[in-house]
Amino acid sequence: VEGLPAVTVYPNPGKGVFRLNGAIGAGSIYVSDATGKIIFQTDYTELDHVIVDLGDRPAGNYFMRLRTKTGSVTRKLIITGR
């Protein structure tokens, strides 16, 4: 996405704790479930990595939106069985 740095998410699929790596400018992260309900939200300052802990959530597909002042990107997160 133009204006957004390359962001990698791992492990994905994973057991619920995901690490975002990249030169991430200040912004917000929103994670929603399959119905669109926001189940996780956090704001952050400029970081090289961010931890998203969804370890209390059941296995399934989730969608993470990373928003900065330069744009946004959405990634699918997959939580596998424990």
Side-chain angles (χ1 to χ4, degrees):
V1 175
E2 180 136 353
L4 276 180
V7 175
T8 57
V9 180
Y10 68 91
N12 193 20
K15 295 186 188 242
V17 178
F18 300 94
R19 182 180 176 119
L20 285 63
N21 272 6
I24 305 168
S28 300
I29 295 172
Y30 302 89
V31 178
S32 59
D33 63 15
T35 68
K37 179 181 175 187
I38 294 176
I39 57 160
F40 177 91
Q41 189 273 325
T42 189
D43 297 321
Y44 58 89
T45 57
E46 291 192 36
L47 299 172
D48 289 332
H49 71 276
V50 176
I51 301 295
V52 174
D53 187 349
L54 304 175
D56 62 340
R57 298 294 169 175
N61 296 322
Y62 297 85
F63 298 92
M64 179 198 66
R65 176 165 289 233
L66 171 65
R67 295 173 63 169
T68 69
K69 61 184 172 184
T70 60
S72 67
V73 64
T74 300
R75 298 286 166 84
K76 182 177 181 180
L77 302 178
I78 301 170
I79 298 178
T80 59
R82 305 208 191 314

